[in-house]
């Protein structure tokens, strides 16, 4: 056993933080408290808080039966231990690997889930075994059985690799791609002041920690001179990847990549230097309209700002993008790529529906990727209320006075007034969205509350059954949405220390959302949203997966007086003579403008 430790800053008490943000000159600066977890050489686990200003210990306790997040040092150690283990060497021999080839044996150390034989007092990892005949071969192509009960010989199929030499062997790189240059000759259009960024009316703080990776705070939008608060804090707070093969030992495969390994820790590079990349991209059309009568047209191009991190969870990669749009939309997007987790299979072996043969001898098991997004909303102030909006047919029947022709439909809004009512699911048929509203601020035209709506359409249910280990441990994934009343320190929905929890005790979100009767009407609400994919692997995912994106939108609704981006200079405005009476007064816009003549009419007549 080695000793290890991890530390980050404790999230400042929100009351102190908001007081300081409102009046940084007069209000005291919130204390900087280090939040530390340490494992001593004796295996004892300690949880502590240290005030960095006063250099004093605020609290320090020994934990019993809890296992903190796995560190990189521990991950690396496992492979060395496993390679030298006589039982592993023997097992490898049975699979056809000679003892002198043990340096070609690799293992991905995974958390164990929960094994009732050992409980949570002993710190455990499981080793998923692979072989690399050649150091440049993709190891996931040569999975080796990790349980003595189910030995299968190593695959003899030729290596299929995605590195340049491998691609050369398969015919080489395509030659029809021409260079595309994307340049910003005048520099970027965002401004960083310390960790605060300003871009196109947006202003927010970019933080980073070992567990969540990117954390965005104090997100505001300058609406014609008024800085309007939107979100206090946005981050991904957990994810779970349950695998769907019930045959031993695969039931153990369900990683909580944030709570058990840390999206910050696993970010490339692992030294967490330059872990975040910030850049702008052209985003196609922002808005456009052609008047069919005279072909006059305005096309305005959109720009987006992307705050990105990529983390590698052994075989898988996750690119997490926080995309900010000029129209007030925030788009969290996760791009899944990397390599499938694989297992050995015999020629002709029945996968029993739990997986797919993606290459000879390679069985990739069905699994899910479920992410939990935490939204601490602040729409025009801290007191917000959540509603669902569903497209609904008019209740009145066809032929009735109110709905004679039967075509009536409307946006059915349902207030989620209590924690119990807020435990909700997605409904694609009604295009359900969740609206974070400030009911104290009504729009002057629509009369509806100022709001941001969460649009999320990839929300599979948790596949492991109620009562199963994953269902118990990943309580946050039982519903698409939970809403709780803000409390300091309620951050980790699967619990503070996730590895080897049995799920027998409600931890994290299950604990915080236990009181179904608690009111969440017009208060500081936190919305927890689980979304993701069910992944049934296919040969196209092998040996490396083309990116699969999952996208969410947080869109302003009844928030702005009207379209907030009409002041973005158009790319095409035609005929300009009508619309740019004083072009010299608008030199920048003119430079970007294609001065077009109206097209010849295409329509007859
Ligand atoms: N996907 C599970 C995992 C993550 C990091 C390191 C090893 C395994
Ligand atoms: Cu997958």
């Amino acid at each position: 056993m080695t000793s290890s430790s991890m530390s980050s800053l404790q999230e400042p008490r929100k009351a102190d933080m908001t007081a300081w943000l409102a009046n940084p000159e007069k209000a005291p600066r919130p204390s900087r408290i280090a939040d530390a977890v340490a494992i001593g050489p004796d295996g004892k686990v300690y949880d502590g808080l240290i005030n960095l200003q006063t250099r004093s210990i605020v609290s320090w306790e020994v934990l019993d039966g809890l296992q903190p997040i796995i560190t990189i040092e521990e991950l690396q150690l496992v492979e060395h231990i496993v390679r030298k283990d006589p039982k592993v060497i023997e097992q490898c021999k049975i699979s056809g690997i000679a003892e002198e080839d043990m340096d070609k044996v690799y293992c991905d150390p995974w958390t164990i889930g929960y094994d009732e034989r050992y409980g949570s007092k002993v710190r455990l990892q499981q080793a998923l075994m692979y072989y690399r005949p050649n150091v440049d071969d993709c190891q996931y192509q040569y999975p080796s059985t990790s349980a003595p009960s189910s030995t299968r010989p190593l695959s003899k199929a030729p290596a299929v690799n995605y590195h340049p030499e491998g691609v050369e062997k398969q015919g080489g790189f395509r030659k029809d791609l021409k260079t595309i240059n994307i340049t910003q000759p005048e520099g970027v259009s965002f401004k960083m002041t310390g960790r605060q960024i300003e871009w196109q009316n947006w202003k927010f703080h970019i933080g980073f920690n070992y567990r969540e990776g990117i954390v965005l705070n104090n997100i505001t939008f300058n609406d014609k001179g008024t800085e309007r608060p939107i979100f206090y804090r946005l981050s991904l707070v957990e994810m779970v990847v349950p695998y769907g093969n019930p045959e031993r030992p695969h039931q153990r495969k369900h990683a909580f990549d944030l709570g058990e390994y840390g999206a910050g820790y696993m970010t490339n590079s692992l030294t967490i230097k330059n872990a975040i990349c910030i850049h702008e991209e052209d985003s196609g059309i922002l808005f456009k309209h052609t008047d069919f009568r005279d072909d006059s047209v305005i096309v305005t191009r959109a720009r987006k700002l992307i705050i990105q991190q990529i983390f590698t969870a052994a075989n898988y990669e996750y690119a997490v993008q926080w995309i900010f749009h000029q129209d007030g939309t925030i788009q969290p997007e996760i791009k899944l790529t990397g390599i499938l987790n694989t297992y050995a299979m015999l020629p002709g072996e029945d996968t029993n529906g739990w997986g797919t043969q993606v290459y000879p001898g390679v069985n990739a098991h069905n699994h899910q990727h479920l992410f939990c997004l935490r939204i601490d909303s602040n729409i025009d102030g801290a007191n917000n209320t959540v509603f669902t909006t569903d497209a609904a047919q008019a209740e009145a029947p066809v032929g009735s006075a109110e709905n004679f022709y039967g075509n009536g439909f409307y946006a059915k809004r349902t207030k989620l007034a209590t924690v119990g009512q807020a435990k909700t699911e997605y409904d694609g048929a009604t295009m359900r969205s969740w609206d974070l509203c400030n009911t104290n601020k009504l729009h002057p035209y629509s009369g509806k509350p100022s709001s941001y709506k969460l649009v999320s359409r990839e929300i599979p249910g948790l596949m492991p059954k109620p009562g199963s280990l994953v269902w118990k441990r990943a309580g946050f994934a039982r519903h698409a949405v939970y809403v709780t009343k803000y409390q300091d320190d309620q951050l980790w929905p699967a619990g503070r220390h996730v590895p080897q929890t049995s799920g027998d005790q409600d931890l994290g979100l299950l604990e915080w959302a236990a009181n179904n009767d608690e009111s969440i009407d017009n208060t500081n609400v936190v919305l927890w949203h689980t979304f993701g994919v069910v992944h049934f692997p296919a040969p196209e995912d092998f040996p490396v997966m083309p990116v699969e994106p999952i996208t969410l939108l947080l869109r302003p609704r009844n928030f702005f007086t009207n379209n907030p981006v009409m002041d973005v200079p158009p790319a095409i405005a035609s005929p300009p003579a009508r619309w740019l009476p004083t072009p010299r007064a608008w030199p920048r816009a003119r430079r970007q403008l294609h001065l077009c003549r109206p097209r010849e009419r295409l329509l007859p007549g």
Side-chain angles (χ1 to χ4, degrees):
M1 172 65 72
T2 53
S3 53
S4 63
S5 65
M6 35 256 144
S7 66
S8 62
L9 278 179
Q10 186 200 40
E11 190 63 23
R13 309 299 82 185
K14 192 170 185 181
D16 299 347
M17 190 67 186
T18 42
W20 179 70
L21 284 170
N23 195 349
E25 257 91 68
K26 296 237 171 73
R29 207 187 160 95
S31 310
R32 279 170 79 80
I33 311 263
D35 179 337
V37 185
I39 307 176
D42 54 0
K44 281 211 175 107
V45 178
Y46 302 88
D47 239 357
L49 295 174
I50 301 108
N51 187 317
L52 297 176
Q53 270 130 348
T54 60
R55 294 170 169 263
S56 55
I57 293 177
V58 180
S59 65
W60 192 255
E61 56 170 324
V62 186
L63 305 180
D64 189 30
L66 288 174
Q67 295 298 338
I69 203 162
I70 306 284
T71 62
I72 288 157
E73 294 75 21
E74 288 173 306
L75 281 177
Q76 286 167 345
L77 205 59
V78 173
E79 199 160 71
H80 295 289
I81 296 172
V82 163
R83 273 195 191 134
K84 295 205 175 89
D85 189 296
K87 284 200 195 131
V88 175
I89 296 173
E90 187 193 323
Q91 198 61 38
C92 285
K93 266 190 209 149
I94 299 172
S95 300
I97 304 165
E99 189 164 349
E100 57 273 22
D101 276 346
M102 282 306 289
D103 61 327
K104 294 180 179 159
V105 170
Y106 293 82
C107 88
D108 280 2
W110 275 48
T111 45
I112 190 87
Y114 179 78
D115 189 322
E116 52 287 355
R117 292 172 300 173
Y118 309 106
S120 50
K121 295 220 177 201
V122 191
R123 197 158 168 77
L124 292 173
Q125 293 186 52
Q126 57 180 320
L128 307 191
M129 305 299 297
Y130 304 91
Y131 180 74
R132 270 186 200 174
N134 197 306
V135 74
D136 285 330
D137 287 341
C138 167
Q139 76 198 52
Y140 299 101
Q141 191 181 312
Y142 298 103
S144 154
T145 39
S146 21
S149 55
S150 55
T151 302
R152 290 165 179 86
L154 269 188
S155 160
K156 295 266 186 300
V160 53
N161 287 314
Y162 58 90
H163 54 60
E165 197 198 347
V167 176
E168 275 317 317
K169 279 193 190 143
Q170 295 162 66
F173 290 109
R174 62 183 65 183
K175 299 191 172 52
D176 53 355
L177 264 181
K178 302 278 184 267
T179 304
I180 175 168
N181 285 326
I182 299 161
T183 61
Q184 287 193 293
E186 296 167 291
V188 297
S189 3
F190 58 85
K191 182 173 135 214
M192 294 286 315
T193 314
R195 300 211 171 118
Q196 186 159 287
I197 191 165
E198 284 172 72
W199 180 81
Q200 299 286 294
N201 299 319
W202 289 105
K203 194 194 258 185
F204 52 96
H205 178 277
I206 305 174
F208 191 88
N209 66 52
Y210 71 82
R211 190 156 175 166
E212 299 160 281
I214 293 172
V215 177
L216 305 178
N217 266 105
N218 303 323
I219 303 175
T220 62
F221 195 95
N222 187 327
D223 180 14
K224 300 191 166 83
T226 307
E227 207 162 277
R228 296 176 64 186
I230 299 178
F231 297 110
Y232 179 74
R233 194 179 192 277
L234 277 185
S235 67
L236 270 189
V237 280
E238 193 49 276
M239 67 176 282
V240 64
V241 186
Y243 280 75
N245 186 337
E247 296 153 6
R248 279 173 175 274
H250 310 298
Q251 85 286 354
R252 285 202 205 123
K253 273 197 310 194
H254 63 272
F256 291 73
D257 287 282
L258 271 62
E260 294 187 323
Y261 301 97
Y265 264 153
M266 297 186 294
T267 290
N268 316 151
S269 79
L270 295 179
T271 53
I272 308 188
K273 249 208 257 159
N274 299 330
I276 304 175
C277 107
I278 302 175
H279 69 281
E280 291 169 89
E281 278 179 21
D282 179 274
S283 193
I285 293 174
L286 178 60
F287 62 87
K288 181 258 174 194
H289 183 62
T290 303
D291 187 327
F292 71 88
R293 291 168 193 84
D294 64 1
D295 275 342
S296 62
V297 60
I298 295 229
V299 185
T300 300
R301 289 195 78 80
R303 189 77 68 82
K304 58 187 177 188
L305 175 76
I306 301 176
I307 319 287
Q308 175 175 256
Q309 88 185 82
I310 302 186
F311 66 89
T312 305
N315 52 307
Y316 256 102
E317 331 277 322
Y318 301 93
V320 181
Q321 296 198 330
W322 296 90
I323 307 170
F324 285 76
H325 294 273
Q326 291 162 303
D327 66 354
T329 300
I330 302 177
Q331 179 185 5
E333 179 160 292
I334 302 180
K335 293 183 155 86
L336 283 75
T337 178
I339 306 180
L340 290 164
N341 173 270
T342 55
Y343 197 66
M345 67 182 285
L346 296 165
E349 183 179 336
D350 188 350
T351 62
N352 294 324
W354 311 127
T356 303
Q357 177 168 258
V358 291
Y359 194 67
V362 182
N363 182 356
H365 294 155
N366 309 336
H367 58 280
Q368 296 189 274
H369 303 260
L370 299 173
F371 305 88
C372 184
L373 172 72
R374 180 178 178 277
I375 304 174
D376 183 345
S377 81
N378 199 13
I379 316 291
D380 280 323
N383 289 338
N384 292 171
T385 308
V386 185
F387 293 77
T388 46
T389 297
D390 293 278
Q393 292 175 332
E395 277 82 22
V398 180
S400 65
E402 304 92 307
N403 190 24
F404 188 79
Y405 298 102
N407 62 309
F409 64 88
Y410 67 107
K412 182 173 180 183
R413 289 162 59 76
T414 311
K415 187 197 271 191
L416 307 179
T418 63
V419 167
Q421 287 166 9
K423 292 173 183 169
T424 41
E425 316 311 330
Y426 180 57
D427 188 345
T430 68
M431 274 193 61
R432 174 168 289 177
S433 68
W434 289 268
D435 298 354
L436 293 145
C437 301
N438 189 328
T439 50
N440 312 301
K441 187 158 185 222
L442 303 185
H443 193 277
Y445 306 157
S446 69
K448 294 178 182 174
S450 169
S451 66
Y452 258 69
K453 100 176 179 175
L454 169 65
V455 180
S456 178
R457 306 182 188 105
E458 287 177 274
I459 313 180
L462 179 64
M463 288 294 129
K465 287 193 152 181
S468 67
L469 180 58
V470 183
W471 182 88
K472 287 196 287 180
R473 298 185 75 211
F476 64 89
R478 291 182 202 167
H479 300 287
V481 161
Y482 288 81
V483 182
T484 54
K485 191 168 167 171
Y486 176 87
Q487 290 284 333
D488 283 334
D489 297 325
Q490 293 191 350
L491 285 169
W492 319 128
R496 177 171 162 83
H497 300 293
V498 182
Q500 291 174 245
T501 49
S502 65
D504 290 337
Q505 192 197 335
D506 284 351
L507 295 173
L509 189 51
L510 289 182
E511 217 184 334
W512 311 325
N515 180 3
N516 280 335
D517 297 330
E518 187 178 7
S519 169
I520 43 165
D521 188 357
N522 204 11
T523 186
N524 185 177
V525 290
V526 177
L527 189 150
W528 309 79
H529 173 45
T530 296
F531 62 96
V533 286
V534 184
H535 190 168
F536 297 114
E540 289 84 350
D541 297 340
F542 200 76
V544 65
M545 290 173 283
V547 155
E548 174 164 357
I550 309 177
T551 262
L552 275 55
L553 298 170
L554 288 158
R555 299 198 68 202
R557 298 274 89 185
N558 306 289
F559 186 88
F560 294 113
T561 315
N562 48 28
N563 178 345
V565 287
M566 287 184 292
D567 61 342
V568 176
I572 295 175
S574 157
R578 235 156 69 195
W579 292 323
L580 285 180
T582 54
R584 255 165 289 135
W586 201 14
R588 204 183 167 115
R590 238 171 77 82
R591 248 183 288 144
Q592 299 181 7
L593 214 59
H594 295 238
L595 300 176
C596 303
R597 280 187 304 132
R599 278 184 301 134
E600 303 228 341
R601 288 190 72 90
L602 296 175
L603 296 173

